[in-house]
Amino acid sequence: MRILVSGTNRMCHDRLRAQGHELVLFVPRGRAQREDAVGLYTHVVILDDSAGADLWADVAESLHRRTPFAAVAAYNEHTYPIVRAISERLDIPTTVDLDLFEKVLDKARMRAVLDEHELPSCRYGFARGRQAVLEAIEEIGLPCIVKPVDTEASVGVSHIDTAEDIEAALRRVGRHHIDRGVVVEEFLDGEEYSVEGISVGRDHRIVAVTRKFTDPDTFVSRGHVVPAPLAPEEHEAVTAYVTRVLDAFGFHDCPSHTEVMLTSRGPRIIEMHNRVAGDAIMDLVRLATEVDLYDLIARQSIGEDVGALLPDRIVPVRSAAVWYAAPSGPPTHTLAEVQGVEKVRELPYVDTVTLLREPGSPQPTVTQNFDRSGCVITVGDSPQQALTRAREATGMLSFVYTWSSRER
Ligand SMILES: Nc1ncnc2c1ncn2[C@@H]1O[C@H](COP(=O)(O)OP(=O)(O)OP(=O)(O)O)[C@@H](O)[C@H]1O
Ligand SMILES: [Mg+2]
């Protein structure tokens, strides 16, 4: 089949290509990569990030007129509106559901849907502008979380414990987000998990539960392990709750990544997505369960029924973990080199070492996931072993920074 694929999550593109399909890539400039130009795709179309869905649809229409596309697909939500516009203009199928996306993208709207369905959630308020945010904090009470209504990567997520923290927390959220709109939420205390699923039609198949570790101050994700070390009744509570939530939102024919806090009152949603997880979680799922969600999602996106490809009972065969290195410092520091990479790669239980910064780049002050410097994926006989290995292996990487002073 000739498929128009839009945006990133190129592992799904790899799978489609391996299945013998022809691919044309549409990618906004800000997400394009040098490697896109070679190999995988028949054509690559890059338009500026400011290009509207209509312009993309115009280009798609011209290509379609010469050689028709059988479907249009996307695996990352940034281009869902473009995919919908193309699907409508060309009258070709897509599994992207933009209405569902809009319900989950907006974290206030998501809480409203949970309330409508009387599903356990948390106290929350939406506020725009400084005064309204202060009033919402007063109403929700402390401790609370203030976060942008629809961003990702823990950008601007702030925790407020006492009244004295409010000013610093609002600075961290940032004026831009406060003016656009934030949600103020009751602080959910507990352990964090994510549930990776695929809805086959409206049958929600849970593939894995992941334990997530975040930095307590910045909420930057530091690590994940699959399977989550949960007692059977906790596992059941988390998966049953998420299944009810997926039903309430009307997930269908798509992947899901649902983040929950397991509190003393039971599981509570943090946020959810109609896309696969980031942060190498799909690799952990594949290593732990031998289910390749990228492959299934690629097939599903072009209309294949993937139900029969999923085992009835998914039982992890090993554990897999990822841990991120996140050295933080002033941007006057310059990355000279990363030591220990080869040594870590040679460890028998290390699956992958990924470096996220080029030598010569300034050191980030870590406030969001994009500021992390690298990660190591490991396997183990138990979640604890995989996790310890990932943390220790990441600790063996040395990020060497140099700095120069102008005052000599
Ligand atoms: N109400 C809450 N109570 C407790 N912790 C929270 C709450 N909301 C968010 N957090 C913490 O902040 C982290 C980031 O929040 P959230 O997932 O909503 O933001 P995000 O920008 O979409 O992050 P990411 O893309 O990293 O998952 C959560 O993983 C959790 O640790
Ligand atoms: Mg999140």
Side-chain angles (χ1 to χ4, degrees):
M1 283 162 77
R2 188 169 195 255
I3 319 290
L4 196 166
V5 290
S6 173
T8 57
N9 246 333
R10 293 171 180 80
M11 284 67 76
C12 293
H13 306 174
D14 292 342
R15 303 301 192 272
L16 282 177
R17 195 74 192 97
Q19 293 154 24
H21 300 292
E22 185 198 337
L23 305 182
V24 172
L25 174 68
F26 277 23
V27 61
R29 194 208 306 268
R31 294 181 184 271
Q33 286 182 359
R34 211 171 278 276
E35 302 78 54
D36 290 338
V38 285
L40 198 60
Y41 311 100
T42 308
H43 301 293
V44 176
V45 177
I46 298 174
L47 296 181
D48 188 64
D49 295 337
S50 61
D54 252 15
L55 180 56
W56 286 102
D58 288 346
V59 181
E61 202 172 12
S62 320
L63 290 168
H64 185 64
R65 213 175 296 129
R66 285 181 176 266
T67 319
F69 294 110
V72 52
Y75 309 99
N76 193 310
E77 58 220 331
H78 299 101
T79 60
Y80 284 179
I82 293 170
V83 168
R84 158 102 142 225
I86 293 173
S87 164
E88 283 175 0
R89 179 86 71 84
L90 275 50
D91 194 22
I92 56 173
T94 186
T95 53
V96 168
D97 181 341
L98 194 61
D99 300 328
L100 171 59
F101 169 56
E102 284 167 355
K103 274 197 271 183
V104 297
L105 171 74
D106 180 321
K107 291 175 184 175
R109 193 159 165 214
M110 178 204 72
R111 296 255 172 239
V113 175
L114 290 169
D115 287 352
E116 246 168 62
H117 288 84
E118 296 181 358
L119 284 160
S121 175
C122 70
R123 280 180 288 115
Y124 78 100
F126 171 77
R128 192 179 284 133
R130 186 183 154 83
Q131 192 49 38
V133 174
L134 291 173
E135 283 162 22
I137 293 169
E138 177 84 36
E139 196 189 316
I140 300 302
L142 300 180
C144 73
I145 289 276
V146 181
K147 59 186 183 185
V149 73
D150 63 0
T151 52
E152 56 173 358
S154 298
V155 173
V157 179
S158 250
H159 174 213
I160 305 176
D161 244 342
T162 65
E164 288 72 57
D165 301 339
I166 293 178
E167 283 312 316
L170 295 192
R171 267 198 300 281
R172 196 174 125 63
V173 178
R175 172 120 187 246
H176 166 75
H177 293 300
I178 289 176
D179 291 344
R180 273 190 75 236
V182 296
V183 274
V184 179
E185 291 182 351
E186 158 191 2
F187 180 77
L188 294 165
D189 198 10
E191 289 183 344
E192 240 185 309
Y193 298 87
S194 63
V195 178
E196 323 314 327
I198 180 166
S199 299
V200 180
R202 289 178 191 273
D203 179 18
H204 314 299
R205 311 283 293 271
I206 305 301
V207 177
V209 181
T210 309
R211 170 85 161 96
K212 173 180 182 177
F213 300 88
T214 56
D215 180 281
D217 298 320
T218 60
F219 297 107
V220 166
S221 306
R222 293 304 308 275
H224 306 268
V225 61
V226 180
L230 281 167
E233 62 280 7
E234 291 172 324
H235 187 275
E236 172 58 24
V238 169
T239 54
Y241 170 67
V242 168
T243 304
R244 281 173 65 202
V245 172
L246 296 173
D247 251 345
F249 279 79
F251 273 67
H252 67 96
D253 307 293
C254 66
S256 57
H257 168 63
T258 311
E259 297 179 357
V260 299
M261 192 70 81
L262 185 53
T263 72
S264 54
R265 291 170 292 155
R268 297 285 185 276
I269 296 280
I270 295 283
E271 62 155 351
M272 60 196 307
H273 299 282
N274 57 341
R275 60 156 165 81
V276 293
D279 265 12
I281 291 174
M282 291 300 97
D283 296 316
L284 305 187
V285 171
R286 179 180 44 78
L287 288 165
T289 65
E290 298 185 339
V291 173
D292 182 3
L293 266 172
Y294 287 132
D295 184 72
L296 295 176
I297 284 147
R299 290 176 187 278
Q300 182 179 55
S301 72
I302 56 168
E304 260 187 60
D305 178 359
V306 293
L309 300 176
L310 270 167
D312 281 342
R313 246 173 68 76
I314 297 168
V315 185
V317 292
R318 63 181 74 77
S319 298
V322 63
W323 199 260
Y324 282 85
S328 187
T332 43
H333 292 180
T334 302
L335 182 61
E337 60 168 329
V338 186
Q339 294 173 350
V341 178
E342 285 319 312
K343 209 163 126 200
V344 172
R345 277 203 176 115
E346 278 163 17
L347 294 170
Y349 48 78
V350 166
D351 180 75
T352 325
V353 179
T354 308
L355 298 179
L356 300 168
R357 284 181 192 275
E358 296 289 331
S361 56
Q363 183 164 21
T365 305
V366 178
T367 61
Q368 48 175 286
N369 292 350
F370 300 120
D371 296 327
R372 296 171 301 186
S373 291
C375 66
V376 181
I377 297 177
T378 56
V379 293
D381 296 332
S382 67
Q384 194 49 54
Q385 187 184 49
L387 195 61
T388 305
R389 285 172 167 178
R391 291 185 78 145
E392 286 178 1
T394 305
M396 287 164 67
L397 300 175
S398 295
F399 292 81
V400 181
Y401 280 93
T402 56
W403 70 93
S404 60
S405 165
R406 289 207 190 134
E407 296 128 13
R408 279 173 194 271

